[in-house]
Amino acid sequence: MNIGIDKIDYYSPNQYVDLVDLAQRRNIEPDKFTIGIGQEKMALPLLSQDAVTMAAMAADKILNDIDKKDIELLIIGTESGVDESKASALYVRDLLGLPSSVRAFEIKEACYGTTAGLQMAYNFVAQNPEKSALIISSDIARYGLDTPGEVTQGAGSVAMLIKKNPSILKLENDSVFMSENVGDFWRPTYSQYAFARGKYSNEVYIRFFTELYKQYFEKNNNGIEDISALLFHIPYTKMGKKALQAVEELIPADKYADFMKRYESSTILSKNIGNLYTGSLYISLISYLENSDQVEADDKVMLFSYGSGSMGEIFTGKVQPGFKEKLQKKKHLDTLNNRRQLTVDEYETEFKKELEIKDGNYFVGNQTDDKFFLEQIKENERIYKSI
Ligand code: CAA
């Protein structure tokens, strides 16, 4: 049975800071951010936007009433969940108006969570071919002001509808994966900021990729000529590029040059939004399918998923005929070009704002035009609203 991504879209907050402005404020040569790290702009959420509202915003873009009726599994991959106990998926199920017959929960393993959800969705549809699964990644990447990681922050979500006979990408069920207990990136429950050994995380990421790359071809008994593009988890766009460079000698020169060209198309959205953590691989898939003029039906793309801590997986998918009509290239570029630019002062002021909860209460209100928002904390409970 063919199973895979039938619909996919992303959401990101409508305000951003330009990283050239940020570099100047931090007395850093702007080329370090734009070339050395490979990022240009960074989205910033307001207090009324969080992992729940962003997840609902992305999913709302892809679902119609017929889709909603058939969904029986809803998984949210996030490492910026809003509650230590209750899954964000329960709030999202409610905001989207999904039936109560949905199995809804959250998965956490750094940036890998959504891939775990995607693989579960594959198995779910294999066993329940008339049903579908909604897999969402939603995250706010925060390292703190004036830290080395600051330039690699961002926020947003990606929603995917997984079904039989998918319109966009058929999953090939050919994964290789590995895990290790590694201290490259983590966020203790008492901290709203992540801790990262940035350069070490780069090394582990590349080591996982190169090992899995070899394992993939051994396990599946095929070669690189079968693959049309290599797509990566992209916390910042230099990182995927370095992983690709790490396997250069294993790839014929013209094929490698072609991979690099296609990789550039996969980075357009990430460069302008920043790190989506669990969604970073899937926004690179959207960016590639929308922005590369080389993609054709039946192309096999290889995807590398990495979550610090660490978990890695390589799998492939086959591009489906008519995939272009299911995507939103123009809309996405228009949205990116019409966002509100924040000055560095505005960015810092917004960044420092916190929910100042007194006696278990705090009123937020809707600070954007978004359909879904966190309205208030009431008796220590989050109250979401839609307009
Ligand atoms: N012009 C062009 N390039 C320049 C430059 C200039 N003027 N100045 C410096 N550069 C280059 C450097 O040569 C370097 O390039 P290479 O990496 O190719 O050598 C690059 O810019 C970065 O310079 P530094 O290494 O000196 O930068 P830094 O010390 O500030 O650290 C960073 C960069 C490690 C990415 C840091 O931003 C960081 O720690 N980020 C957070 C960690 C992170 O994102 N990890 C990602 C994996 S973890 C993950 O994805 C999370 C998950 O699972 C949840």
Side-chain angles (χ1 to χ4, degrees):
M1 190 193 322
N2 291 346
I3 299 170
I5 303 172
D6 188 58
K7 293 186 179 180
I8 187 168
D9 209 337
Y10 81 90
Y11 166 83
S12 178
N14 197 33
Q15 48 286 331
Y16 72 94
V17 62
D18 192 299
L19 295 176
V20 171
D21 295 349
L22 186 66
Q24 282 162 349
R25 174 65 64 88
R26 303 285 181 250
N27 289 321
I28 289 171
E29 170 63 40
D31 283 356
K32 173 175 173 183
F33 285 0
T34 55
I35 300 168
I37 292 189
Q39 291 300 119
E40 289 172 8
K41 293 177 178 137
M42 180 169 93
L44 182 81
L46 305 182
L47 279 186
S48 62
Q49 300 171 310
D50 64 17
V52 167
T53 66
M54 294 192 302
M57 290 296 292
D60 191 56
K61 289 173 153 192
I62 60 170
L63 300 180
N64 59 35
D65 288 344
I66 300 166
D67 298 327
K68 288 184 187 180
K69 217 165 41 61
D70 291 336
I71 294 172
E72 271 198 0
L73 178 66
L74 164 60
I75 305 177
I76 298 189
T78 182
E79 53 190 290
S80 19
V82 297
D83 194 290
E84 295 292 345
S85 169
K86 184 170 174 175
S88 49
L90 295 163
Y91 295 111
V92 172
R93 189 202 67 80
D94 194 30
L95 290 171
L96 295 173
L98 297 179
S100 58
S101 53
V102 171
R103 182 181 281 150
F105 58 95
E106 186 173 301
I107 289 188
K108 177 178 67 183
E109 196 327 84
C111 301
Y112 172 76
T114 302
T115 301
L118 185 64
Q119 300 302 352
M120 279 187 185
Y122 181 95
N123 292 326
F124 170 78
V125 176
Q127 287 174 355
N128 304 276
E130 301 314 315
K131 296 296 172 188
S132 50
L134 176 61
I135 306 302
I136 313 175
S137 67
S138 189
D139 270 311
I140 297 171
R142 281 169 84 89
Y143 292 90
L145 298 177
D146 209 2
T147 60
E150 181 179 30
V151 60
T152 64
Q153 300 177 134
S157 52
V158 176
M160 298 181 272
L161 188 66
I162 311 304
K163 289 175 68 163
K164 75 169 180 189
N165 300 329
S167 305
I168 297 177
L169 194 77
K170 169 183 173 279
L171 296 171
E172 294 288 89
N173 194 22
D174 55 0
S175 287
V176 288
F177 38 84
M178 62 189 277
S179 55
E180 258 178 44
N181 181 9
V182 171
D184 64 334
F185 171 107
W186 65 101
R187 183 167 71 82
T189 44
Y190 54 77
S191 175
Q192 57 167 314
Y193 300 128
F195 293 87
R197 298 190 172 103
K199 290 186 176 125
Y200 179 54
S201 80
N202 218 316
E203 283 167 33
V204 182
Y205 172 101
I206 290 173
R207 180 166 63 78
F208 269 49
F209 172 66
T210 49
E211 272 186 37
L212 289 171
Y213 179 90
K214 289 174 194 154
Q215 273 184 35
Y216 175 84
F217 293 112
E218 275 162 25
K219 176 185 168 187
N220 292 292
N221 214 6
N222 57 356
I224 194 67
E225 62 285 352
D226 286 351
I227 306 294
S228 66
L230 293 175
L231 304 180
F232 294 86
H233 163 57
I234 309 180
Y236 53 96
T237 70
K238 183 71 164 288
M239 199 156 169
K241 191 175 190 171
K242 281 187 180 183
L244 187 46
Q245 286 165 339
V247 290
E248 179 175 3
E249 61 186 29
L250 304 177
I251 302 172
D254 52 346
K255 185 84 177 158
Y256 176 77
D258 185 53
F259 278 158
M260 199 48 100
K261 189 169 166 211
R262 291 175 190 246
Y263 175 71
E264 292 304 329
S265 325
S266 78
T267 64
I268 291 172
L269 294 174
S270 293
K271 259 188 189 148
N272 283 285
I273 293 170
N275 196 349
L276 259 58
Y277 282 165
T278 45
S280 295
L281 171 62
Y282 300 97
I283 203 165
S284 77
L285 172 65
I286 298 174
S287 184
Y288 172 64
L289 294 176
E290 288 184 350
N291 295 304
S292 170
D293 53 14
Q294 297 171 278
V295 195
E296 287 178 9
D298 282 338
D299 280 358
K300 203 186 221 190
V301 296
M302 177 180 269
L303 298 101
F304 172 56
S305 178
Y306 177 79
S308 289
S310 287
M311 183 62 223
E313 180 159 342
I314 282 184
F315 60 101
T316 69
K318 217 169 227 184
V319 177
Q320 296 301 289
F323 70 97
K324 274 249 146 84
E325 288 97 75
K326 290 278 192 149
L327 299 169
Q328 305 281 349
K329 176 177 174 168
K330 185 173 176 321
K331 218 171 173 180
H332 289 158
L333 294 178
D334 287 350
T335 307
L336 281 183
N337 292 331
N338 288 310
R339 292 178 297 172
R340 184 163 75 92
Q341 180 172 356
L342 302 174
T343 63
V344 176
D345 284 339
E346 286 170 329
Y347 150 69
E348 290 188 341
T349 304
E350 283 302 336
F351 192 91
K352 285 182 202 155
K353 283 187 185 161
E354 286 179 14
L355 297 169
E356 288 161 12
I357 300 163
K358 287 204 184 76
D359 301 326
N361 301 311
Y362 182 76
F363 189 83
V364 185
N366 195 8
Q367 303 172 317
T368 68
D369 297 332
D370 287 357
K371 180 171 172 185
F372 304 110
F373 61 98
L374 171 67
E375 187 205 43
Q376 59 177 310
I377 310 283
K378 195 173 172 191
E379 296 173 18
N380 289 307
E381 196 179 2
R382 292 171 102 85
I383 311 289
Y384 291 96
K385 286 276 156 69
S386 58
I387 46 174

